[in-house]
């Protein structure tokens, strides 16, 4: 099929994706700034941030999945022009996610002592604890923010989230500088300062988004149906049935990455710090794939909801083309600049040496990660999320972790071997997601 036929789909996808990409890049930029600033404090503080984030992500991502479960339902209702239904889904999604965030916060506080028993260096865990505490208390506002974001993106408005996120990220970066290093009369809090800055920024972002959602003229035709009498148990059931498998898929994937980080921590703090550097850069470039994938979910839910099945397939393929082109470029960049990029984050020659090796694997990782994200996004757009969760279990638990342990510790490749396991798992996920999408669409 001629690529010219895809041009309108490229344009539509990018129109939706560009604000999402900027929003996602803004969030990762904060993580990169955290890494850059904390990296100035030394290798142990950098390892502490990596450890705290890997553990927090395991629980936070479960709540995030329920927020993402709102998008396909809102998108399909938008395709059918059922404005009242969109308002109902949004309201009930808020009820689920705010309640869930409070429950998760309580569970994390109860389980916090377990962090001392994960076979990590003692000085890393002690330094990570204050930072981790601020991450815990930011879980409620961050899930409130994502609920509002998935609602606005589900109706095709991706610019609001972009501006709220960019504003919040600027606040985060400023408070990072002030609180980590003790500027303008504030105490130098070090790693804890980075956590407090994140907490402040997330509070501001959540409150801002709530105000904007209920006052923005383009969203009032949906939020006008927001009333307590609209607590709708069928909608709650649909959101839970979609959100739970998405949460399961996400937590399986993040569990694999977090356990990979813990395995690398078994080696030493040098390898963990190098892993943090490479993962942050890979996460930054992945935001483009995530943005294109999110736009793909929106486009597919709209097209599928309005029964334009050929356009559904074309939108999926156009997203795959866009991600492949971008990730190929970043793969080349990582490999060519593998000895230079680590010096931006650390002056420790051992960290730089290990990070340079990991960047070669991360280059290959780029393509596989982009492909699996597009494949996953197509299934989310169709609300075919239970099968996606099963694919994630196969790819990340049954394949990624055992293969990473085999290469890393049995065959003594260390952190490079753990990353090889991640790459293989991502490739399996990418192929399987794509095959599932093609099989699903055969009936249409």
């Amino acid at each position: 099929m001629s690529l010219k036929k895809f041009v309108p789909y490229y344009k539509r996808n990018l129109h939706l994706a560009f604000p999402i990409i900027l929003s996602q890049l803004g969030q990762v930029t904060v993580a990169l700034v955290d890494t850059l600033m904390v990296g100035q404090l030394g290798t142990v503080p950098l390892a502490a941030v990596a450890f705290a984030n890997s553990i927090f992500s395991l629980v936070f991502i479960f709540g995030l999945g329920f927020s993402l479960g709102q998008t396909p339902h809102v998108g399909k209702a938008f395709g059918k022009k059922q404005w009242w239904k969109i308002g109902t889904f949004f309201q009930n999604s808020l009820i689920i996610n705010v309640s869930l965030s409070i429950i998760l916060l309580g569970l994390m506080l109860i389980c916090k002592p377990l962090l001392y028993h994960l076979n990590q260096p003692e000085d890393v865990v002690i330094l990570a604890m204050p930072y981790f505490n601020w991450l815990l208390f930011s879980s409620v506002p961050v899930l409130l923010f994502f609920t509002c974001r998935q609602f606005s993106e589900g109706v095709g408005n991706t610019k609001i989230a972009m501006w709220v996120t960019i504003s919040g990220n600027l606040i985060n970066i400023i408070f990072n500088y002030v609180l980590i290093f003790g500027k303008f009369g504030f105490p130098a809090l070090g790693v804890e300062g980075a956590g407090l800055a994140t907490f402040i920024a997330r509070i501001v972002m959540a409150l801002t988004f709530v105000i904007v959602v209920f006052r923005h003229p383009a969203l009032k035709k949906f939020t006008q149906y927001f009333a307590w009498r609209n607590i709708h148990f069928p909608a709650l059931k649909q959101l839970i049935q979609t959100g739970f498998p998405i949460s399961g898929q996400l937590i399986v994937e993040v569990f694999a990455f977090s356990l990979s980080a813990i395995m690398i921590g078994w080696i030493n703090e040098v390898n963990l710090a190098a892993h943090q550097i490479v993962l942050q850069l890979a996460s930054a470039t992945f935001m483009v794939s995530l943005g294109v994938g999110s736009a793909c979910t929106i486009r597919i839910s709209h097209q599928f909801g309005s029964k334009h099945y050929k356009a559904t397939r074309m939108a999926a393929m156009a997203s795959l083309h866009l991600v492949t082109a971008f990730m190929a470029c970043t793969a080349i960049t990582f490999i060519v600049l593998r000895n230079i990029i680590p010096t931006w984050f650390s002056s420790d020659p051992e960290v730089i040496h290990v990070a340079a090796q990991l960047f070669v694997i991360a280059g290959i990782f780029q393509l596989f990660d982009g492909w699996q994200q597009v494949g996953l996004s197509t299934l989310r757009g169709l609300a075919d999320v239970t099968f996606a969760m099963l694919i994630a279990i196969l790819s990340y638990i049954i394949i990624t972790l055992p293969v990473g342990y085999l290469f890393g510790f049995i065959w003594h490749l260390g952190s490079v071997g753990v990353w090889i396991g991640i790459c293989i798992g991502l490739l399996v996920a990418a192929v399987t997601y794509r095959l599932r999408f093609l099989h699903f669409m055969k009936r249409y």
Side-chain angles (χ1 to χ4, degrees), residues 204-314:
V204 172
M205 290 165 67
L207 293 177
T208 302
F209 217 143
V210 169
I211 293 169
V212 171
V213 159
F214 285 97
R215 293 191 176 184
H216 196 285
L219 301 179
K220 278 188 176 179
K221 63 182 177 182
F222 312 119
T223 56
Q224 67 177 319
Y225 298 102
F226 195 101
W228 287 114
R229 65 178 179 274
N230 285 339
I231 296 177
H232 194 250
F233 288 100
L236 286 170
K237 182 180 178 181
Q238 283 182 277
L239 289 166
I240 292 171
Q241 286 176 334
T242 305
F244 186 79
I246 293 178
S247 293
Q249 176 268 316
L250 288 173
I251 204 165
V252 163
E253 186 173 346
V254 172
F255 177 77
F257 276 87
S258 296
L259 196 55
S260 296
I262 290 171
M263 285 196 290
I264 290 171
W266 295 343
I267 304 170
N268 54 38
E269 59 267 25
V270 168
N271 278 265
L272 188 57
H275 167 78
Q276 174 71 357
I277 290 170
V278 179
L279 187 62
Q280 288 297 333
L281 264 294
S283 298
T285 56
F286 176 69
M287 290 306 104
V288 175
S289 295
L290 188 59
V292 173
S294 297
C296 180
T297 296
I298 296 166
R299 291 290 304 157
I300 283 178
S301 64
H302 289 181
Q303 300 289 355
F304 194 74
S306 57
K307 299 184 179 180
H308 294 154
Y309 302 127
K310 181 179 179 181
T312 302
R313 295 186 185 88
M314 296 285 282

Side-chain angles (χ1 to χ4, degrees), residues 135-379:
L135 291 183
L136 293 187
F137 288 108
S138 73
S139 58
V140 177
V142 77
L143 285 182
L144 178 59
F145 164 81
F146 274 106
T147 305
C148 294
R149 174 179 147 173
Q150 295 311 125
F151 157 66
S152 64
E153 290 184 355
V155 297
N157 191 323
T158 57
K159 292 182 179 179
I160 296 175
M162 177 187 72
W163 290 115
V164 173
T165 303
I166 290 173
S167 301
N169 290 337
L170 289 174
I171 292 171
N172 200 337
I173 291 171
I174 292 168
F175 275 96
N176 262 340
Y177 177 71
V178 170
L179 296 174
I180 291 174
F181 301 112
K183 303 296 182 180
F184 307 112
F186 285 86
L189 298 177
V191 171
E192 183 178 5
L196 178 54
T198 298
F199 174 75
I200 293 170
R202 286 177 174 175
I203 287 282
V204 172
M205 290 165 67
L207 293 177
T208 302
F209 217 143
V210 169
I211 293 169
V212 171
V213 159
F214 285 97
R215 293 191 176 184
H216 196 285
L219 301 179
K220 278 188 176 179
K221 63 182 177 182
F222 312 119
T223 56
Q224 67 177 319
Y225 298 102
F226 195 101
W228 287 114
R229 65 178 179 274
N230 285 339
I231 296 177
H232 194 250
F233 288 100
L236 286 170
K237 182 180 178 181
Q238 283 182 277
L239 289 166
I240 292 171
Q241 286 176 334
T242 305
F244 186 79
I246 293 178
S247 293
Q249 176 268 316
L250 288 173
I251 204 165
V252 163
E253 186 173 346
V254 172
F255 177 77
F257 276 87
S258 296
L259 196 55
S260 296
I262 290 171
M263 285 196 290
I264 290 171
W266 295 343
I267 304 170
N268 54 38
E269 59 267 25
V270 168
N271 278 265
L272 188 57
H275 167 78
Q276 174 71 357
I277 290 170
V278 179
L279 187 62
Q280 288 297 333
L281 264 294
S283 298
T285 56
F286 176 69
M287 290 306 104
V288 175
S289 295
L290 188 59
V292 173
S294 297
C296 180
T297 296
I298 296 166
R299 291 290 304 157
I300 283 178
S301 64
H302 289 181
Q303 300 289 355
F304 194 74
S306 57
K307 299 184 179 180
H308 294 154
Y309 302 127
K310 181 179 179 181
T312 302
R313 295 186 185 88
M314 296 285 282
M317 185 58 73
S319 297
L320 189 61
H321 293 169
L322 291 170
V323 163
T324 300
F326 177 79
M327 289 308 234
C329 293
T330 60
I332 294 169
T333 302
F334 277 8
I335 294 171
V336 172
L337 300 180
R338 64 188 180 277
N339 293 308
I340 297 173
I341 297 174
T343 63
W344 302 344
F345 298 88
S346 177
S347 57
D348 186 330
E350 291 185 65
V351 172
I352 294 170
H353 174 69
V354 175
Q357 294 178 326
L358 293 181
F359 268 118
V360 175
I361 309 300
I364 303 168
F365 169 107
Q366 292 291 286
L367 281 169
F368 300 165
D369 206 13
W371 292 340
Q372 70 83 25
Q373 181 57 37
V374 171
L376 176 60
S377 298
T378 60
L379 297 184

